[in-house]
Amino acid sequence: MSTGSPVGSHRVVSPAGALPQAADRLDSDPDIADDEVRISVERLNLDAASYRQLHTAHGGDGEAIRAEVLAIIDRRGKMHNPVTGSGGMLIGTVDAVGPRSPLGLKAGQKVATLVSLTLTPLHIDDGLARWDGNSEQVPASGHAILFGRSIAAPLPDDLPEHLALAVLDVCGAPALVRRVVARRTHGATTVAVLGAAGKSGSLSLAAARDAHAAKVLAVVRDENEAAQLLGSGLADDIVVADATAPLPLARKVTEALDGRGADVTVVCVDVPGCEHGAILSTATGGTVIFFSMATSFPTAALGAEGLAADVEMLIGNGYVPGHADYALHLFRENPHLRDLFIDRVGTED
Ligand code: NAP
């Protein structure tokens, strides 16, 4: 058994010297190094931005989407969408644990990986035959490799697996929202969540509430999504706006917040083009959290500069200590979150 690098650099095929996330191609050999873990894969969760891009590019043709996902995994040794640059995560059963693995996992345990598929060596052996290409969640068979420095969480036994997977996929968002709102010590904090009826969006609303935000504003795409949130208690106010249309978006957010921008704006929309609207919707001295993987760093940075907007901008790092437990806690506490998630990922496991 070989000795691995805790960050997985020994799995990089090309380019030499890159870390796995930036690599073009990884080695998904099932033989594990002494600090690695092999997972027998049961289900992938493609991240929302990646799935939407694939769905749009193939005009909703499930067969073509499936073929492209298989081709990406085959070519790259990981599910790393080359257009969006994003991945997702997976659930499976621990199959083998190297003697020096620090992850504390045991063979036979059901786990969700909490590191992105963009850096997880992955091999699929069933041709994704049980997937029709029409959902973000992908029943799959194969194996994945975790490094010494990866993260995985045992699946909770009180939730259906597909719901736990959907919650854990976006668990970085609520933890980051709580941290950002809680650290604002001056005055009452207003929070606007763009894409608020989605998975990360609805959990972000719940986290803003939990962190005692003074006002929580849900920004949703259409009246259907507004109706889903109405009466849920997750938001104080709901506005319908296209997050990619900066001027109307900022006007509606500002009107709903008594003439000021939000102190904290959270971007949870799964399409590109929300940077400028989010910046314009944020008060001077406020913070924009770009959780969305469809965010463009140059567009955000240059847009803020061009608008002379004194706002802090955070990239939504998917990892915050305690993020998985916190998201599951919010989810268990709030039955409306469960309803919203079921609406997206269905009732079937
Ligand atoms: P989701 O459940 O699909 O939610 C996205 C929401 O945005 C949906 O309600 C969608 O409405 C709405 N939306 C789409 N276009 C809009 C527009 N023009 N204006 C207003 N709302 C719009 O997605 P998610 O799983 O929460 O993921 C959200 C983003 O987070 C994605 O970009 C995903 O890749 C990213 N993500 C980041 C991390 C990280 O670690 N930073 C981890 C996981 C996911 P419809 O459903 O009606 O289209």
Side-chain angles (χ1 to χ4, degrees):
M1 191 174 268
S2 63
T3 296
S5 146
V7 294
S9 52
H10 59 291
R11 289 271 179 180
V12 173
V13 176
S14 67
L19 290 184
Q21 204 285 328
D24 294 331
R25 183 170 170 76
L26 299 180
D27 175 1
S28 59
D29 189 327
D31 286 342
I32 55 170
D34 58 2
D35 66 346
E36 289 182 329
V37 170
R38 187 174 64 237
I39 307 285
S40 173
V41 175
E42 289 164 28
R43 191 183 293 241
L44 309 177
N45 189 102
L46 305 182
D47 91 287
S50 174
Y51 182 71
R52 186 181 282 268
Q53 183 277 326
L54 291 163
H55 192 269
T56 306
H58 293 288
D61 177 347
E63 202 54 46
I65 296 170
R66 183 173 60 176
E68 180 159 1
V69 169
L70 277 169
I72 291 171
I73 297 169
D74 192 47
R75 190 170 67 244
R76 306 198 72 173
K78 58 178 179 172
M79 181 50 213
H80 188 166
N81 183 324
V83 179
T84 60
S86 57
M89 34 87 76
L90 61 83
I91 56 177
T93 303
V94 177
D95 182 25
V97 180
R100 289 200 315 116
S101 169
L103 303 187
L105 299 175
K106 294 186 177 55
Q109 223 174 358
K110 262 284 175 72
V111 293
T113 61
L114 298 178
V115 286
S116 172
L117 289 178
T118 64
L119 56 86
T120 304
L122 176 66
H123 174 77
I124 295 299
D125 60 24
D126 69 345
L128 301 180
R130 287 173 292 139
W131 184 47
D132 63 7
N134 285 312
S135 56
E136 287 172 11
Q137 293 205 4
V138 183
S141 161
H143 68 263
I145 306 294
L146 296 179
F147 312 130
R149 206 170 149 170
S150 302
I151 328 165
L155 275 182
D157 46 23
D158 61 332
L159 290 177
E161 283 177 11
H162 72 303
L163 284 182
L165 180 60
V167 172
L168 293 172
D169 177 43
V170 295
C171 67
L176 186 56
V177 169
R178 175 175 65 168
R179 178 192 275 179
V180 169
V181 173
R183 80 174 181 206
R184 289 185 61 93
T185 47
H186 44 288
T189 297
T190 58
V191 179
V193 178
L194 315 185
K199 298 184 290 296
S200 57
S202 54
L203 281 164
S204 294
L205 292 176
R209 260 271 186 273
D210 184 49
H212 306 294
K215 184 162 184 180
V216 181
L217 177 66
V219 181
V220 296
R221 182 187 178 86
D222 56 30
E223 293 296 343
N224 285 340
E225 289 198 333
Q228 286 181 316
L229 285 178
L230 203 65
S232 69
L234 288 166
D236 296 299
D237 206 350
I238 305 168
V239 299
V240 174
D242 179 355
T244 65
L247 295 172
L249 172 71
R251 180 172 48 74
K252 289 182 181 181
V253 169
T254 309
E255 276 170 14
L257 295 176
D258 304 322
R260 278 186 87 235
D263 296 311
V264 179
T265 303
V266 192
V267 183
C268 293
V269 173
D270 59 340
V271 299
C274 301
E275 298 84 354
H276 295 168
I279 291 164
L280 269 183
S281 300
T282 305
T284 299
T287 301
V288 186
I289 299 174
F290 287 111
F291 189 70
S292 168
M293 286 297 158
T295 303
S296 154
F297 175 73
T299 305
L302 299 174
E305 180 193 80
L307 294 164
D310 179 16
V311 294
E312 176 188 45
M313 297 191 289
L314 298 181
I315 298 172
N317 174 357
Y319 176 67
V320 177
H323 57 345
D325 286 344
Y326 182 54
L328 290 168
H329 161 74
L330 292 174
F331 190 77
R332 290 186 183 108
E333 291 282 291
N334 194 321
H336 295 288
L337 285 175
R338 194 183 184 104
D339 293 343
L340 285 165
F341 272 66
I342 286 177
D343 210 59
R344 286 192 177 265
V345 301
T347 49
E348 293 302 313
D349 206 5

